[in-house]
Amino acid sequence: MSAAAAEQALADYAAEPGRSALVRVSVDGRVWEGGVAADAVHPAASLLKLAVAIAAEEAVAHGSLDATRRIPIAELGATPADRSVLDLLDPARDVSVAELLGLMLGSSDNPCTRWLVELVGLPQIADVVARLECAKTTIDADAEFGVRGTTTCRDALTLLAAASDPVRHPASARALRHSIRNSRIPLGATEGDIQIAHKTGTLAGVAHDVAVLECAGGTAQIAFLTQDQHDTLVTGYAMGLCTRQVLTAWGLSVRTTTSVAGG
């Protein structure tokens, strides 16, 4: 096991401008953390959907939001610019609040996000960020994406850890386990043994991935945040390569992942 090799992999990944990373590895009772610009602020993109999901589940738990409430798809306001998963469904049908949450996280769906933000309220979502002590994360309403703001690798790992807790936030944890596969962290983390798919999305010049990797012999929490990237596919490949190198450095092999990528 080599901390030096893991640190070199992170340094190589972050050699390109605009890239940040943070990794926490737990193996054999030891916790190692390494990163590059882990507290640098980036556009948060869809990582803020984690806070929306947590706030929605809390509203359900407190009784102010009914998870079984049905909402007609036609009322969700999807537009051609959204490229929404809702376009694949019969517009005459309806979906539940719980299904909206799953679609928001699992496919980074913007109409679902906008509706949940309206149902829950931005103050409650901002309160989630504050209570989790994500001090460098900002969040505001956005007419297109539902929410917009900034975050860091460190804050993103905190948000993911909370959202993927199956006891406190079972619906969010389930959505993250079944999110749409991407080509970022899984590319370098597995050799066909991933049981839980990833969710992905991008903004112009922005590619993020934040994941919890359940490995044989330990766990790894990994956050990659970027901006001003000339080619997000190349950036995603670099994330996967870095992940493989870090896991190899610690003698870990991946069994399952929980991830959300910014878009």
Side-chain angles (χ1 to χ4, degrees):
M1 298 181 185
S2 172
E7 290 169 353
Q8 186 61 56
L10 290 170
D12 291 345
Y13 164 77
E16 292 285 336
R19 296 181 181 179
S20 298
L22 179 64
V23 178
R24 296 191 189 111
V25 175
S26 300
V27 58
D28 293 336
R30 177 184 178 186
V31 177
W32 174 85
E33 179 175 304
V36 178
D39 295 304
V41 175
H42 295 269
S46 70
L47 298 183
L48 293 177
K49 291 178 173 70
L50 293 165
V52 176
I54 293 169
E57 289 218 64
E58 290 181 349
V60 169
H62 297 154
S64 59
L65 182 61
D66 181 2
T68 65
R69 174 183 171 184
R70 309 294 300 186
I71 301 168
I73 287 176
E75 292 184 10
L76 293 173
T79 69
D82 283 318
R83 297 180 60 86
S84 172
V85 68
L86 298 172
D87 294 334
L88 302 175
L89 304 177
D90 183 346
R93 67 161 291 180
D94 53 28
V95 293
S96 70
V97 168
E99 289 169 333
L100 286 180
L101 189 153
L103 291 172
M104 177 187 69
L105 286 184
S107 67
S108 196
D109 192 82
N110 289 329
C112 294
T113 307
R114 293 194 296 263
W115 195 261
L116 283 170
V117 171
E118 182 177 343
L119 285 176
V120 175
L122 189 64
Q124 287 70 28
I125 300 167
D127 183 61
V128 167
V129 172
R131 282 188 282 111
L132 290 173
E133 299 182 347
C134 295
K136 292 190 175 183
T137 297
T138 64
I139 188 163
D140 293 293
D142 185 89
E144 180 179 1
F145 301 110
V147 287
R148 60 180 170 83
T150 60
T151 194
T152 67
C153 289
R154 197 175 307 277
D155 283 0
L157 283 184
T158 298
L159 287 168
L160 181 64
S164 60
D165 184 332
V167 175
R168 295 169 56 202
H169 307 118
S172 298
R174 181 179 184 276
L176 291 170
R177 289 197 305 270
H178 297 284
S179 56
I180 295 172
R181 182 178 299 275
N182 67 47
S183 59
R184 292 173 185 169
I185 285 179
L187 173 71
T190 72
E191 295 176 345
D193 60 350
I194 280 189
Q195 300 173 22
I196 302 175
H198 281 216
K199 163 189 178 295
T200 191
T202 60
L203 295 173
V206 173
H208 300 332
D209 207 350
V210 184
V212 177
L213 307 179
E214 301 292 339
C215 310
T219 63
Q221 301 174 56
I222 301 179
F224 294 114
L225 270 63
T226 69
Q227 62 191 84
D228 302 324
Q229 300 297 289
H230 72 282
D231 188 328
T232 55
L233 289 176
V234 171
T235 303
Y237 182 85
M239 292 176 185
L241 179 60
C242 180
T243 300
R244 178 177 293 279
Q245 292 170 337
V246 169
L247 295 179
T248 299
W250 288 102
L252 298 176
S253 61
V254 169
R255 289 179 176 172
T256 60
T257 70
T258 302
S259 171
V260 57

